[in-house]
Amino acid sequence: MTTTESPSEETTTQRPKLSFILAVLAAVSFVGTLFLWWLGSLPGHGDHEIAREVFGNIPDIVVAFFYVMVAAGIATSILLFAGRARNWERGTWERRSGEWKRRLRRFIDGVSMRTVAERPDAAVMHAMIYWGFVVLFFGTVTLEIDHLLPADFKFLHGVVYQGYSLILDIAALVFLGGLLWAAVRRYGIRPWRIRTKTRAEDAWILILLASIGVTGLLVEAARISLLGQPDFEKWSFVGFPLASLIPQSSASGFHQAMWIAHALVFLAFLIVLPVTKLRHMITTPVNLALSPKERPKGAMKEMPNLLEATDIESVGAAEVGEFTWKQLLDTDACTICGRCTDVCPANTTGKPLDPREIVLKLGTVAAMSADPALSPPVGVDRAITVSSDNVFELVTAEEIWACTTCRACDEACPADIEIVDKILDMRRYKSLMEAEFPTELGKAYVSMENSSNVYGVDQNTRGDWTDVLDFEVKRLGESGVTAEYLMWVGCAGSFDDRNRNVTISTARLLHKAGVDFGILGAKELCTGDPARRTGNEYVFQGLALQNIETLND
Protein backbone atom coordinates (compact mmCIF):
# COMPACT_ATOMS: atom_id res chain seq x y z
CA MET A 1 0.00 0.00 0.00
CA THR A 2 0.99 3.63 -0.32
CA THR A 3 0.32 6.01 2.51
CA THR A 4 -1.96 9.00 1.96
CA GLU A 5 -2.94 12.04 3.99
CA SER A 6 -5.63 10.05 5.77
CA PRO A 7 -5.36 6.38 4.87
CA SER A 8 -8.11 5.14 7.15
CA GLU A 9 -10.83 7.20 5.47
CA GLU A 10 -10.81 5.06 2.36
CA THR A 11 -12.40 2.17 4.23
CA THR A 12 -14.42 4.01 6.87
CA THR A 13 -16.40 6.32 4.61
CA GLN A 14 -18.43 5.44 1.52
CA ARG A 15 -18.36 8.24 -1.03
CA PRO A 16 -20.18 8.53 -4.35
CA LYS A 17 -17.65 8.22 -7.14
CA LEU A 18 -17.07 11.21 -9.34
CA SER A 19 -17.45 9.08 -12.47
CA PHE A 20 -20.96 8.06 -11.33
CA ILE A 21 -21.90 11.68 -10.55
CA LEU A 22 -20.72 12.75 -14.00
CA ALA A 23 -22.67 9.93 -15.66
CA VAL A 24 -25.84 11.09 -13.89
CA LEU A 25 -25.07 14.68 -14.90
CA ALA A 26 -24.73 13.54 -18.53
CA ALA A 27 -28.20 11.99 -18.45
CA VAL A 28 -29.69 15.07 -16.78
CA SER A 29 -28.03 17.39 -19.32
CA PHE A 30 -29.41 15.36 -22.23
CA VAL A 31 -32.97 15.47 -20.90
CA GLY A 32 -32.58 19.10 -19.82
CA THR A 33 -31.46 20.24 -23.27
CA LEU A 34 -34.43 18.54 -24.90
CA PHE A 35 -36.68 20.18 -22.32
CA LEU A 36 -35.28 23.59 -23.32
CA TRP A 37 -36.14 22.76 -26.93
CA TRP A 38 -39.75 22.09 -25.92
CA LEU A 39 -39.83 25.22 -23.76
CA GLY A 40 -38.56 27.37 -26.63
CA SER A 41 -41.24 26.01 -28.94
CA LEU A 42 -44.05 27.44 -26.80
CA PRO A 43 -45.89 30.49 -28.26
CA GLY A 44 -45.50 34.02 -26.99
CA HIS A 45 -42.03 35.20 -28.00
CA GLY A 46 -42.87 38.83 -28.62
CA ASP A 47 -42.11 41.06 -31.56
CA HIS A 48 -39.57 43.87 -31.17
CA GLU A 49 -38.29 46.06 -33.97
CA ILE A 50 -34.72 46.24 -32.65
CA ALA A 51 -33.96 42.64 -31.76
CA ARG A 52 -32.81 39.33 -33.20
CA GLU A 53 -35.14 36.53 -34.18
CA VAL A 54 -33.67 33.34 -32.74
CA PHE A 55 -33.60 30.57 -35.37
CA GLY A 56 -34.76 33.06 -37.99
CA ASN A 57 -34.42 31.58 -41.50
CA ILE A 58 -33.59 28.16 -39.97
CA PRO A 59 -36.03 25.33 -40.92
CA ASP A 60 -37.81 23.60 -38.04
CA ILE A 61 -36.23 20.25 -38.95
CA VAL A 62 -32.76 21.79 -38.64
CA VAL A 63 -33.65 23.31 -35.27
CA ALA A 64 -34.89 19.93 -34.06
CA PHE A 65 -31.72 18.24 -35.29
CA PHE A 66 -29.67 20.98 -33.60
CA TYR A 67 -31.23 20.46 -30.16
CA VAL A 68 -30.94 16.68 -30.35
CA MET A 69 -27.31 16.86 -31.43
CA VAL A 70 -26.41 19.45 -28.80
CA ALA A 71 -28.07 17.31 -26.13
CA ALA A 72 -26.11 14.29 -27.34
CA GLY A 73 -22.90 16.33 -27.64
CA ILE A 74 -23.06 17.72 -24.12
CA ALA A 75 -23.90 14.29 -22.68
CA THR A 76 -21.08 12.66 -24.64
CA SER A 77 -18.59 15.29 -23.51
CA ILE A 78 -19.53 14.76 -19.87
CA LEU A 79 -19.36 10.96 -20.28
CA LEU A 80 -15.87 11.27 -21.74
CA PHE A 81 -14.88 13.26 -18.66
CA ALA A 82 -16.49 10.51 -16.57
CA GLY A 83 -14.16 8.02 -18.28
CA ARG A 84 -11.18 10.10 -17.23
CA ALA A 85 -12.60 10.35 -13.70
CA ARG A 86 -12.72 6.52 -13.57
CA ASN A 87 -9.04 6.57 -14.39
CA TRP A 88 -8.31 8.91 -11.47
CA GLU A 89 -10.32 6.62 -9.21
CA ARG A 90 -7.76 3.88 -9.80
CA GLY A 91 -5.51 5.75 -7.38
CA THR A 92 -5.43 5.41 -3.61
CA TRP A 93 -7.51 7.64 -1.39
CA GLU A 94 -6.19 11.04 -0.34
CA ARG A 95 -8.13 13.56 1.71
CA ARG A 96 -8.58 16.91 -0.01
CA SER A 97 -11.52 18.46 1.81
CA GLY A 98 -11.94 21.30 4.29
CA GLU A 99 -10.27 24.71 3.98
CA TRP A 100 -13.09 25.76 1.68
CA LYS A 101 -12.14 29.45 1.57
CA ARG A 102 -8.65 28.62 0.35
CA ARG A 103 -10.07 26.21 -2.21
CA LEU A 104 -12.53 28.80 -3.46
CA ARG A 105 -9.75 31.35 -3.82
CA ARG A 106 -7.60 28.93 -5.81
CA PHE A 107 -10.56 27.98 -8.00
CA ILE A 108 -11.19 31.65 -8.74
CA ASP A 109 -7.50 32.04 -9.52
CA GLY A 110 -7.92 29.25 -12.06
CA VAL A 111 -11.08 30.45 -13.79
CA SER A 112 -9.75 34.02 -13.87
CA MET A 113 -6.39 32.83 -15.27
CA ARG A 114 -4.50 34.59 -12.48
CA THR A 115 -1.93 31.80 -12.24
CA VAL A 116 -1.18 32.07 -15.97
CA ALA A 117 -0.70 35.83 -15.60
CA GLU A 118 2.41 35.18 -13.54
CA ARG A 119 4.23 34.81 -16.89
CA PRO A 120 3.50 37.95 -18.98
CA ASP A 121 4.86 36.41 -22.20
CA ALA A 122 1.87 34.06 -22.41
CA ALA A 123 -0.64 35.81 -20.16
CA VAL A 124 -2.11 38.28 -22.65
CA MET A 125 -2.43 35.68 -25.41
CA HIS A 126 -4.19 33.18 -23.15
CA ALA A 127 -6.41 35.91 -21.72
CA MET A 128 -7.53 36.98 -25.20
CA ILE A 129 -8.47 33.43 -26.17
CA TYR A 130 -10.03 32.51 -22.84
CA TRP A 131 -12.00 35.66 -22.10
CA GLY A 132 -13.01 36.07 -25.73
CA PHE A 133 -14.41 32.53 -25.71
CA VAL A 134 -16.08 32.99 -22.32
CA VAL A 135 -17.86 36.18 -23.41
CA LEU A 136 -19.02 34.55 -26.66
CA PHE A 137 -20.22 31.48 -24.78
CA PHE A 138 -22.17 33.46 -22.21
CA GLY A 139 -23.47 35.65 -25.01
CA THR A 140 -24.99 32.54 -26.59
CA VAL A 141 -26.38 31.44 -23.22
CA THR A 142 -27.89 34.91 -22.72
CA LEU A 143 -29.54 34.72 -26.14
CA GLU A 144 -31.05 31.32 -25.28
CA ILE A 145 -32.31 32.59 -21.91
CA ASP A 146 -33.98 35.54 -23.61
CA HIS A 147 -35.46 33.15 -26.18
CA LEU A 148 -37.04 31.01 -23.46
CA LEU A 149 -38.50 33.87 -21.42
CA PRO A 150 -42.15 34.94 -21.82
CA ALA A 151 -42.65 37.97 -24.05
CA ASP A 152 -43.11 40.39 -21.14
CA PHE A 153 -39.78 39.38 -19.61
CA LYS A 154 -37.55 39.49 -22.67
CA PHE A 155 -34.71 41.97 -22.43
CA LEU A 156 -32.58 41.55 -25.59
CA HIS A 157 -34.16 44.33 -27.61
CA GLY A 158 -33.63 48.00 -28.21
CA VAL A 159 -30.50 49.56 -26.72
CA VAL A 160 -29.74 46.40 -24.71
CA TYR A 161 -29.61 44.35 -27.90
CA GLN A 162 -27.36 46.90 -29.61
CA GLY A 163 -24.95 46.90 -26.67
CA TYR A 164 -25.08 43.12 -26.64
CA SER A 165 -24.15 43.02 -30.35
CA LEU A 166 -21.24 45.42 -29.78
CA ILE A 167 -19.82 43.37 -26.90
CA LEU A 168 -20.01 40.10 -28.82
CA ASP A 169 -18.27 41.55 -31.88
CA ILE A 170 -15.47 42.90 -29.66
CA ALA A 171 -15.19 39.49 -28.00
CA ALA A 172 -15.01 37.75 -31.39
CA LEU A 173 -12.12 39.97 -32.52
CA VAL A 174 -10.28 39.49 -29.22
CA PHE A 175 -10.81 35.73 -29.44
CA LEU A 176 -9.58 35.47 -33.04
CA GLY A 177 -6.68 37.83 -32.30
CA GLY A 178 -5.60 35.61 -29.42
CA LEU A 179 -5.75 32.53 -31.64
CA LEU A 180 -3.64 34.26 -34.30
CA TRP A 181 -1.11 35.22 -31.62
CA ALA A 182 -1.07 31.62 -30.39
CA ALA A 183 -0.42 30.33 -33.90
CA VAL A 184 2.43 32.79 -34.45
CA ARG A 185 3.93 31.91 -31.07
CA ARG A 186 3.70 28.16 -31.58
CA TYR A 187 4.68 27.97 -35.25
CA GLY A 188 6.65 31.21 -35.73
CA ILE A 189 8.47 32.24 -32.57
CA ARG A 190 8.52 28.64 -31.30
CA PRO A 191 9.93 28.85 -27.74
CA TRP A 192 11.83 25.67 -26.89
CA ARG A 193 9.46 24.51 -24.14
CA ILE A 194 6.52 24.79 -26.58
CA ARG A 195 8.33 23.52 -29.67
CA THR A 196 9.29 20.23 -28.03
CA LYS A 197 5.66 19.36 -27.27
CA THR A 198 3.94 20.68 -30.39
CA ARG A 199 1.80 18.00 -31.98
CA ALA A 200 -0.55 17.82 -34.97
CA GLU A 201 -3.51 18.12 -32.61
CA ASP A 202 -2.38 21.63 -31.64
CA ALA A 203 -2.95 22.92 -35.18
CA TRP A 204 -6.35 21.22 -35.36
CA ILE A 205 -7.36 22.73 -32.01
CA LEU A 206 -6.45 26.23 -33.23
CA ILE A 207 -8.32 25.64 -36.49
CA LEU A 208 -11.38 24.34 -34.63
CA LEU A 209 -11.49 27.30 -32.25
CA ALA A 210 -10.93 29.76 -35.09
CA SER A 211 -13.75 28.09 -37.03
CA ILE A 212 -16.13 28.77 -34.15
CA GLY A 213 -15.27 32.48 -34.24
CA VAL A 214 -15.21 32.87 -38.02
CA THR A 215 -18.46 30.98 -38.70
CA GLY A 216 -20.13 32.95 -35.92
CA LEU A 217 -19.22 36.24 -37.60
CA LEU A 218 -20.30 34.93 -41.02
CA VAL A 219 -23.66 33.82 -39.61
CA GLU A 220 -24.11 37.31 -38.20
CA ALA A 221 -23.12 38.95 -41.50
CA ALA A 222 -25.48 36.74 -43.53
CA ARG A 223 -28.35 37.41 -41.12
CA ILE A 224 -27.81 41.19 -41.38
CA SER A 225 -27.62 40.97 -45.18
CA LEU A 226 -30.82 38.92 -45.27
CA LEU A 227 -32.57 41.67 -43.26
CA GLY A 228 -31.41 44.34 -45.69
CA GLN A 229 -28.73 45.77 -43.37
CA PRO A 230 -31.01 47.78 -41.04
CA ASP A 231 -29.37 50.75 -39.31
CA PHE A 232 -29.75 49.32 -35.80
CA GLU A 233 -27.39 46.47 -36.76
CA LYS A 234 -24.52 48.93 -37.23
CA TRP A 235 -23.61 48.21 -33.62
CA SER A 236 -22.39 44.86 -34.96
CA PHE A 237 -19.35 46.70 -36.28
CA VAL A 238 -17.78 43.51 -37.69
CA GLY A 239 -20.85 41.74 -39.02
CA PHE A 240 -22.40 44.87 -40.58
CA PRO A 241 -19.58 45.67 -43.05
CA LEU A 242 -19.14 41.96 -43.80
CA ALA A 243 -22.84 41.85 -44.73
CA SER A 244 -22.06 44.17 -47.66
CA LEU A 245 -20.01 41.37 -49.20
CA ILE A 246 -22.99 38.97 -49.20
CA PRO A 247 -25.70 39.67 -51.81
CA GLN A 248 -29.14 39.74 -50.27
CA SER A 249 -30.40 37.38 -52.98
CA SER A 250 -28.08 34.60 -51.81
CA ALA A 251 -27.98 35.54 -48.11
CA SER A 252 -30.67 33.03 -47.09
CA GLY A 253 -28.84 29.93 -48.31
CA PHE A 254 -25.46 31.23 -47.15
CA HIS A 255 -26.90 32.01 -43.71
CA GLN A 256 -28.31 28.49 -43.33
CA ALA A 257 -25.05 26.91 -44.49
CA MET A 258 -22.94 28.98 -42.07
CA TRP A 259 -25.41 28.41 -39.22
CA ILE A 260 -25.15 24.64 -39.69
CA ALA A 261 -21.35 24.88 -39.99
CA HIS A 262 -21.19 26.93 -36.78
CA ALA A 263 -23.31 24.36 -34.95
CA LEU A 264 -21.17 21.47 -36.24
CA VAL A 265 -17.85 23.02 -35.18
CA PHE A 266 -19.32 23.67 -31.73
CA LEU A 267 -20.37 20.02 -31.50
CA ALA A 268 -16.87 19.02 -32.56
CA PHE A 269 -15.51 21.24 -29.77
CA LEU A 270 -17.66 19.43 -27.19
CA ILE A 271 -16.16 16.08 -28.25
CA VAL A 272 -12.58 17.35 -28.59
CA LEU A 273 -12.64 19.09 -25.18
CA PRO A 274 -12.22 16.01 -22.94
CA VAL A 275 -9.92 14.01 -25.23
CA THR A 276 -7.22 16.61 -25.98
CA LYS A 277 -5.11 19.02 -23.97
CA LEU A 278 -8.08 21.42 -24.18
CA ARG A 279 -9.44 19.54 -21.17
CA HIS A 280 -7.25 21.72 -18.95
CA MET A 281 -9.92 24.42 -19.36
CA ILE A 282 -11.93 22.30 -16.91
CA THR A 283 -9.36 20.26 -15.01
CA THR A 284 -6.87 23.02 -14.17
CA PRO A 285 -9.27 25.19 -12.11
CA VAL A 286 -10.53 22.02 -10.40
CA ASN A 287 -6.97 20.94 -9.63
CA LEU A 288 -6.17 24.38 -8.22
CA ALA A 289 -9.19 24.13 -5.93
CA LEU A 290 -7.99 20.73 -4.72
CA SER A 291 -4.39 21.81 -4.17
CA PRO A 292 -4.61 23.05 -0.53
CA LYS A 293 -3.71 20.22 1.84
CA GLU A 294 -3.11 19.65 5.52
CA ARG A 295 0.65 19.26 5.08
CA PRO A 296 2.67 22.48 5.31
CA LYS A 297 4.26 23.58 2.06
CA GLY A 298 7.43 21.57 1.44
CA ALA A 299 6.57 18.83 3.92
CA MET A 300 6.79 15.28 2.61
CA LYS A 301 3.94 12.82 2.73
CA GLU A 302 3.72 10.97 6.02
CA MET A 303 4.57 7.28 6.04
CA PRO A 304 3.69 4.53 8.56
CA ASN A 305 6.30 3.33 11.04
CA LEU A 306 8.28 0.94 8.86
CA LEU A 307 10.28 -0.31 11.83
CA GLU A 308 7.17 -1.83 13.41
CA ALA A 309 4.66 -2.36 10.59
CA THR A 310 4.01 -5.95 9.55
CA ASP A 311 1.21 -5.61 7.00
CA ILE A 312 2.79 -3.39 4.35
CA GLU A 313 3.10 -5.13 1.01
CA SER A 314 4.60 -2.23 -0.93
CA VAL A 315 6.10 1.17 -0.18
CA GLY A 316 6.09 4.05 -2.62
CA ALA A 317 4.56 3.93 -6.08
CA ALA A 318 5.38 2.10 -9.28
CA GLU A 319 1.97 1.05 -10.62
CA VAL A 320 -0.81 3.47 -11.47
CA GLY A 321 -3.00 2.21 -8.63
CA GLU A 322 -0.26 3.03 -6.09
CA PHE A 323 -0.39 6.74 -6.84
CA THR A 324 -3.17 8.80 -5.25
CA TRP A 325 -6.23 9.91 -7.18
CA LYS A 326 -5.00 13.50 -6.87
CA GLN A 327 -1.67 12.58 -8.46
CA LEU A 328 -3.54 11.03 -11.38
CA LEU A 329 -5.80 14.07 -11.71
CA ASP A 330 -2.61 16.16 -11.90
CA THR A 331 -1.70 14.50 -15.18
CA ASP A 332 -4.96 15.63 -16.81
CA ALA A 333 -4.65 19.14 -15.35
CA CYS A 334 -1.24 19.68 -16.94
CA THR A 335 -1.24 22.53 -19.47
CA ILE A 336 2.05 21.23 -20.95
CA CYS A 337 3.45 24.77 -20.72
CA GLY A 338 6.93 23.65 -19.63
CA ARG A 339 7.36 26.21 -16.85
CA CYS A 340 8.46 23.44 -14.51
CA THR A 341 11.19 22.46 -16.96
CA ASP A 342 12.34 26.08 -17.28
CA VAL A 343 13.05 26.42 -13.55
CA CYS A 344 14.42 22.92 -12.87
CA PRO A 345 18.09 23.18 -11.83
CA ALA A 346 18.70 19.55 -12.75
CA ASN A 347 17.39 20.08 -16.27
CA THR A 348 19.25 23.38 -16.63
CA THR A 349 22.56 21.69 -15.80
CA GLY A 350 22.05 18.92 -18.33
CA LYS A 351 20.73 16.19 -16.05
CA PRO A 352 18.21 13.70 -17.53
CA LEU A 353 15.31 15.06 -15.44
CA ASP A 354 12.48 16.98 -17.09
CA PRO A 355 9.69 17.55 -14.53
CA ARG A 356 7.09 17.92 -17.26
CA GLU A 357 8.03 14.52 -18.64
CA ILE A 358 7.47 12.90 -15.24
CA VAL A 359 3.88 14.17 -15.22
CA LEU A 360 3.24 13.30 -18.86
CA LYS A 361 4.78 9.83 -18.63
CA LEU A 362 2.68 8.95 -15.59
CA GLY A 363 -0.37 10.29 -17.41
CA THR A 364 0.49 8.32 -20.55
CA VAL A 365 0.88 5.04 -18.65
CA ALA A 366 -2.36 5.69 -16.74
CA ALA A 367 -4.26 6.51 -19.94
CA MET A 368 -2.90 3.66 -22.06
CA SER A 369 -3.41 1.07 -19.31
CA ALA A 370 -6.98 2.19 -18.59
CA ASP A 371 -9.89 -0.04 -19.54
CA PRO A 372 -10.89 1.15 -22.06
CA ALA A 373 -7.73 3.01 -23.04
CA LEU A 374 -7.86 6.81 -22.96
CA SER A 375 -6.03 9.49 -24.89
CA PRO A 376 -2.73 10.45 -23.18
CA PRO A 377 -2.19 14.00 -21.81
CA VAL A 378 -0.38 14.89 -25.03
CA GLY A 379 0.01 12.97 -28.27
CA VAL A 380 2.85 10.43 -28.28
CA ASP A 381 4.69 8.62 -31.05
CA ARG A 382 2.92 5.44 -32.18
CA ALA A 383 6.08 3.51 -31.36
CA ILE A 384 5.59 4.34 -27.67
CA THR A 385 3.49 1.61 -26.09
CA VAL A 386 2.95 0.27 -22.58
CA SER A 387 2.28 -3.34 -21.68
CA SER A 388 1.30 -2.81 -18.04
CA ASP A 389 0.36 -0.08 -15.58
CA ASN A 390 3.93 0.20 -14.26
CA VAL A 391 5.14 3.77 -14.65
CA PHE A 392 8.76 2.62 -15.02
CA GLU A 393 7.91 1.41 -18.50
CA LEU A 394 8.43 5.05 -19.49
CA VAL A 395 10.11 6.76 -16.51
CA THR A 396 13.81 5.91 -16.09
CA ALA A 397 15.67 5.61 -12.81
CA GLU A 398 18.15 8.27 -13.98
CA GLU A 399 15.31 10.79 -14.18
CA ILE A 400 14.05 10.40 -10.65
CA TRP A 401 17.53 10.30 -9.07
CA ALA A 402 18.48 13.59 -10.77
CA CYS A 403 15.85 15.51 -8.79
CA THR A 404 17.16 17.83 -6.05
CA THR A 405 13.69 18.03 -4.39
CA CYS A 406 13.96 21.84 -4.41
CA ARG A 407 10.28 22.07 -5.46
CA ALA A 408 10.94 24.88 -7.94
CA CYS A 409 8.75 22.96 -10.39
CA ASP A 410 5.85 22.82 -7.93
CA GLU A 411 6.12 26.56 -7.30
CA ALA A 412 6.25 27.46 -11.01
CA CYS A 413 3.31 25.29 -12.09
CA PRO A 414 0.20 27.36 -12.94
CA ALA A 415 -1.97 24.29 -12.29
CA ASP A 416 -0.53 23.49 -8.82
CA ILE A 417 0.64 20.05 -9.96
CA GLU A 418 2.65 18.31 -7.24
CA ILE A 419 5.57 16.90 -9.19
CA VAL A 420 8.05 16.28 -6.38
CA ASP A 421 5.59 14.09 -4.45
CA LYS A 422 5.39 11.76 -7.46
CA ILE A 423 9.17 11.59 -7.76
CA LEU A 424 9.54 10.86 -4.04
CA ASP A 425 6.96 8.07 -4.19
CA MET A 426 8.84 6.51 -7.11
CA ARG A 427 12.12 6.86 -5.22
CA ARG A 428 10.62 5.11 -2.21
CA TYR A 429 9.65 2.21 -4.40
CA LYS A 430 13.08 2.01 -6.02
CA SER A 431 14.93 2.32 -2.70
CA LEU A 432 12.87 0.08 -0.46
CA MET A 433 11.19 -2.40 -2.79
CA GLU A 434 13.88 -2.95 -5.42
CA ALA A 435 17.02 -1.67 -3.63
CA GLU A 436 17.87 0.11 -6.88
CA PHE A 437 19.71 3.36 -6.31
CA PRO A 438 23.01 5.01 -7.34
CA THR A 439 26.17 3.57 -5.79
CA GLU A 440 26.93 6.86 -4.05
CA LEU A 441 23.56 6.73 -2.31
CA GLY A 442 24.20 3.18 -1.17
CA LYS A 443 27.40 4.32 0.52
CA ALA A 444 25.56 7.22 2.16
CA TYR A 445 22.83 4.89 3.46
CA VAL A 446 25.45 2.57 4.99
CA SER A 447 27.22 5.55 6.59
CA MET A 448 23.97 6.84 8.09
CA GLU A 449 23.11 3.42 9.48
CA ASN A 450 26.58 2.62 10.83
CA SER A 451 28.02 6.05 11.72
CA SER A 452 24.85 8.15 12.05
CA ASN A 453 26.13 10.65 9.47
CA VAL A 454 26.45 10.69 5.69
CA TYR A 455 30.24 11.11 5.80
CA GLY A 456 30.98 7.87 7.61
CA VAL A 457 33.05 9.80 10.18
CA ASP A 458 33.35 8.62 13.78
CA GLN A 459 30.26 9.89 15.59
CA ASN A 460 32.33 10.63 18.70
CA THR A 461 34.13 13.43 16.82
CA ARG A 462 30.88 15.31 16.07
CA GLY A 463 31.60 17.95 18.70
CA ASP A 464 35.35 18.34 18.00
CA TRP A 465 34.75 21.66 16.23
CA THR A 466 34.42 23.25 19.69
CA ASP A 467 38.12 22.62 20.40
CA VAL A 468 39.13 25.82 18.55
CA LEU A 469 36.87 28.04 20.66
CA ASP A 470 38.22 30.05 23.60
CA PHE A 471 35.11 29.27 25.66
CA GLU A 472 33.38 26.08 26.67
CA VAL A 473 30.24 24.91 24.86
CA LYS A 474 27.77 23.02 27.02
CA ARG A 475 27.08 19.39 26.15
CA LEU A 476 23.44 18.73 26.84
CA GLY A 477 22.65 15.26 28.03
CA GLU A 478 25.54 15.21 30.47
CA SER A 479 24.66 15.06 34.13
CA GLY A 480 23.49 18.39 35.52
CA VAL A 481 24.02 20.34 32.25
CA THR A 482 21.15 22.60 31.11
CA ALA A 483 20.80 25.46 28.63
CA GLU A 484 18.04 27.75 27.44
CA TYR A 485 18.60 26.94 23.76
CA LEU A 486 19.80 23.91 21.82
CA MET A 487 22.07 24.54 18.87
CA TRP A 488 21.39 21.78 16.37
CA VAL A 489 24.63 21.67 14.37
CA GLY A 490 23.88 19.05 11.73
CA CYS A 491 26.24 16.73 9.86
CA ALA A 492 27.70 19.31 7.49
CA GLY A 493 28.24 21.81 10.30
CA SER A 494 30.00 19.16 12.36
CA PHE A 495 32.16 17.36 9.78
CA ASP A 496 32.54 19.39 6.57
CA ASP A 497 35.55 21.73 6.76
CA ARG A 498 33.83 24.64 5.02
CA ASN A 499 30.61 24.37 7.00
CA ARG A 500 32.48 23.94 10.30
CA ASN A 501 33.76 27.50 9.90
CA VAL A 502 30.15 28.68 9.71
CA THR A 503 29.29 26.68 12.83
CA ILE A 504 32.26 28.12 14.74
CA SER A 505 31.35 31.69 13.73
CA THR A 506 27.73 31.14 14.75
CA ALA A 507 28.77 29.79 18.15
CA ARG A 508 31.01 32.80 18.72
CA LEU A 509 28.18 35.19 17.85
CA LEU A 510 25.80 33.42 20.23
CA HIS A 511 28.40 33.50 23.01
CA LYS A 512 29.14 37.20 22.48
CA ALA A 513 25.39 37.93 22.49
CA GLY A 514 25.08 36.21 25.84
CA VAL A 515 22.81 33.44 24.59
CA ASP A 516 22.67 30.42 26.89
CA PHE A 517 23.03 27.53 24.43
CA GLY A 518 24.35 24.02 24.26
CA ILE A 519 24.88 21.18 21.80
CA LEU A 520 24.21 17.45 21.92
CA GLY A 521 27.63 16.44 20.62
CA ALA A 522 27.82 12.71 19.96
CA LYS A 523 24.18 12.31 21.02
CA GLU A 524 23.11 14.34 17.95
CA LEU A 525 22.50 11.97 15.05
CA CYS A 526 21.91 12.75 11.39
CA THR A 527 18.35 13.92 10.85
CA GLY A 528 18.01 11.31 8.14
CA ASP A 529 16.73 13.92 5.69
CA PRO A 530 19.16 12.82 2.91
CA ALA A 531 17.76 9.30 3.21
CA ARG A 532 14.17 10.48 3.26
CA ARG A 533 14.50 12.77 0.25
CA THR A 534 16.04 9.95 -1.73
CA GLY A 535 13.24 7.57 -0.79
CA ASN A 536 14.80 5.50 2.00
CA GLU A 537 12.15 6.01 4.67
CA TYR A 538 13.48 3.07 6.67
CA VAL A 539 16.87 4.69 7.36
CA PHE A 540 15.24 8.06 7.95
CA GLN A 541 12.79 6.71 10.49
CA GLY A 542 15.50 4.84 12.35
CA LEU A 543 17.52 8.03 12.83
CA ALA A 544 14.52 10.32 13.38
CA LEU A 545 13.05 8.15 16.12
CA GLN A 546 16.37 8.06 17.96
CA ASN A 547 16.68 11.86 17.73
CA ILE A 548 13.11 12.26 18.99
CA GLU A 549 13.89 10.02 21.96
CA THR A 550 17.02 12.07 22.73
CA LEU A 551 15.12 15.36 22.56
CA ASN A 552 12.34 14.00 24.75
CA ASP A 553 14.87 12.95 27.37
Side-chain angles (χ1 to χ4, degrees), residues 16-30 74-89 274 282-283 286 329 332:
K17 291 186 176 181
L18 177 60
S19 58
F20 173 77
I21 295 174
L22 289 175
V24 172
L25 180 61
V28 171
S29 67
F30 182 83
I74 294 174
T76 301
S77 186
I78 297 174
L79 285 175
L80 288 171
F81 271 113
R84 305 203 80 87
R86 277 194 299 273
N87 202 33
W88 310 333
E89 291 163 359
I282 307 296
T283 53
V286 172
L329 169 60
D332 274 337

Side-chain angles (χ1 to χ4, degrees), residues 22 34 42 180-181 183 299 334 347 350 363 392 429 436 455 480 488 494:
L22 289 175
L34 295 182
L42 296 178
L180 178 60
W181 188 346
C334 180
N347 186 272
F392 292 110
Y429 185 87
E436 182 184 334
Y455 302 100
W488 188 275
S494 298

Side-chain angles (χ1 to χ4, degrees), residues 295-306:
R295 278 184 286 151
K297 181 181 288 188
M300 293 176 61
K301 191 162 54 179
E302 185 180 352
M303 297 288 289
N305 188 335
L306 301 181

Side-chain angles (χ1 to χ4, degrees), residues 138-160:
F138 280 105
T140 303
V141 171
T142 301
L143 182 65
E144 180 66 10
I145 291 173
D146 184 74
H147 172 61
L148 298 176
L149 289 174
D152 294 340
F153 292 93
K154 292 186 183 298
F155 55 90
L156 271 185
H157 53 81
V159 176
V160 174

Side-chain angles (χ1 to χ4, degrees), residues 470-485:
D470 55 2
F471 58 90
E472 183 179 354
V473 177
K474 294 179 180 180
R475 303 292 178 98
L476 299 177
E478 295 180 357
S479 179
V481 178
T482 60
E484 186 176 0
Y485 297 100

